[in-house]
Amino acid sequence: MNIKKMLADLIGEKIENINYEDLIIESISSDKGDYCLPCFSFSKILKKNPNQIALDIMSSLKKSDYVEKVEVVQGYLNFFLNIKAVSNVILADVNKDKELTLGSGKVVCIDYGSPNLAKYLHIGHLKTLIIGESLSRLFEMFGYTVKRLNFVGDYGTPFGKIIGGIQLFGSIEEVKKRGNDALQDYYIKFNQLEAQDEKYTQLARDIFKKIEQKDEEIYPIYETIVKISLKDAIEKFKLLGVEFDDYRGEMYFNQFVPELIERLKRQNLLSISQGAQIVDLSEYDMPPAIMLKSDGTSLYASRDLSASIVRYHDYKFDKMIYLTAVEQDLHFKQWFKVAELMHEDYASRLEHVSYGRFSLPDGKISSRRGKQAVLVDLIEYVLSKAKDVIKDRKFEIEKPLEVAKKVSRAVLNYSVLKVERGKDCVFDVEKAFSFEGETAPYMQYTYTRIESILRKYNEGIGNSKNAECDYSCFNADAFLLTKMMNSFESDCWQALVKRDPSFVAKRVMDLCKAFNKFYTSTKVLEGTISEINAKIKLLNGLKKILKQGFDLICIDSLKEM
Ligand code: ARG
């Protein structure tokens, strides 16, 4: 139900060009009504005081069953809704199955969670993975077709170093056996050699050149490394509930760079600086975008730009969103500009979305992998905590390990999504497990409470033939919950527009808190049958919305906990 529009439509005498619907806001406290229209901004046009204007609007209002009473207080026109009539419409609406079509027929590509292969995923990857996944789900909610793209980092001298390491002190068998652990060892050892003797720098470069030239001996080793490392990354993504449609990485798109360079030349966009091919961006207050190094190898920017051309060809995207840490702002600004200068018609559809840092309090998690904050260590640590918590619960739970996994994933994902996208955050694991306060287990537990009430109802009164609902029993807590459910869809749209799922996370948390308040003040399964039916309708709708909300923020709902 669009309450703001309904209220705006009641106003008889309107000032032209004023959108009343946009001006009506939710009241901060219930004694000021449910919604209000502040009349201060009309003062200038009408040359009257706001209070008088509010009184005039009040006298022009059409009658409506949805409005109980109207009051004017200090320049505000306050609307008190008719709880019974409005709840009836909202709850019928919320419980209906409907498909959202705002994004139908539109394709959104989201490039996120892209790791540099042959290295451990670190805890920072949690942010891009979870925000990216949540954003994807938000777009899908509104009917968009989403393509999840992972631009894996499988290009560059680190691969020369690792292969150098294999040749000097390792073996491919070891890599096959120990996976990323072996790759990291070789990389670290090779770096130590390099620090002592410069010739190793050249060796790594030479090996990487051979990879690029698909050298018979070297290239298969490179392929094995990439395969093993990608498989490992995909396993970790799965632990977090993330899966991609397209894993073509930097090496794949590198093959299109020569074509790109030819085009840039034809369009007169290239110039040479110290042997490198660059696009001068001084006119736009940016350092030059380097497209090709003096040794003829490509750069991050040229590979990204080539990828965008190929991806546009493949997906005909309406939006292409890149999700990375803020440190990459300039990189994207630069090559987006180059795409624009090339008159690529999709240039205006490119969008970079960045996020703040994610860290742990010092010394929190011990790692067998040295000082690095490795993602899998965090995942394992959080899972072990979840198992402890589950063990402490008094009642029997069917599959404790399954529940522990779902709780731990929720704790991890919520730790990312509860913070505004752009802000830095420190993840306090201990606090995140509390059943009180704003935590994921609190939300999951709330859901199980609703489930259990609904179960009880279905086993008892739910069997009665009387399906009538009497909403006159709704108190302020029930009505607040109803109104919040009503605005959930537009809250999600706001989150999508802002590219910030933390707004959904906040809304879901608010709904849980509002439910718990309602639960304290209301005996759900007491009263007449029609009164109970009404409260159950509220809870059915809430369960549906929470399930959807949980799914949007990558949290599993549980039946019991
Ligand atoms: N692999 C890069 C990194 O770890 C992130 C890639 C982001 N996506 C892109 N198309 N540039 O920093």
Side-chain angles (χ1 to χ4, degrees), residues 494-507:
Q494 283 312 310
L496 180 148
V497 170
K498 294 191 175 107
R499 313 287 192 243
D500 191 350
S502 76
F503 290 96
V504 181
K506 183 160 183 344
R507 258 345 214 175

Side-chain angles (χ1 to χ4, degrees), residues 111 128 300 322-329 332 352-356:
D111 174 317
T128 168
Y300 188 34
Y322 297 85
L323 191 64
T324 76
V326 279
E327 284 80 0
Q328 302 199 20
D329 278 0
F332 285 98
H352 179 226
V353 173
S354 58
Y355 51 80

Side-chain angles (χ1 to χ4, degrees), residues 111 114-116 125 151-153 250 300 304 311 322-324 328 331-332 335:
D111 174 317
S114 312
N116 291 330
H125 282 113
F151 188 69
V152 290
E250 299 198 35
Y300 188 34
D304 246 334
R311 285 164 165 184
Y322 297 85
L323 191 64
T324 76
Q328 302 199 20
H331 161 75
F332 285 98
W335 76 259

Side-chain angles (χ1 to χ4, degrees), residues 411-514:
V411 163
L412 277 173
N413 295 354
Y414 186 64
S415 72
V416 169
L417 293 181
K418 73 171 196 203
V419 183
E420 264 178 58
R421 172 170 56 74
K423 290 199 175 140
D424 294 345
C425 62
V426 180
F427 176 31
D428 187 330
V429 186
E430 312 304 322
K431 265 199 204 146
F433 271 102
S434 162
F435 276 81
E436 279 144 49
E438 305 200 349
T439 68
Y442 167 80
M443 293 201 280
Q444 287 177 309
Y445 181 60
T446 301
Y447 187 89
T448 62
R449 263 185 157 174
I450 297 167
E451 277 269 8
S452 117
I453 301 169
L454 291 175
R455 248 195 324 265
K456 256 193 218 145
Y457 170 81
N458 287 331
E459 284 159 10
I461 311 157
N463 294 319
S464 103
K465 294 253 166 343
N466 181 349
E468 217 158 278
C469 294
D470 179 1
Y471 296 106
S472 58
C473 66
F474 273 21
N475 61 11
D477 293 335
F479 193 48
L480 180 67
L481 199 47
T482 307
K483 284 184 290 176
M484 284 171 76
M485 283 156 61
N486 185 51
S487 59
F488 186 69
E489 191 183 304
S490 71
D491 294 332
C492 290
W493 180 253
Q494 283 312 310
L496 180 148
V497 170
K498 294 191 175 107
R499 313 287 192 243
D500 191 350
S502 76
F503 290 96
V504 181
K506 183 160 183 344
R507 258 345 214 175
V508 174
M509 179 56 77
D510 290 344
L511 279 165
C512 288
K513 288 203 265 187

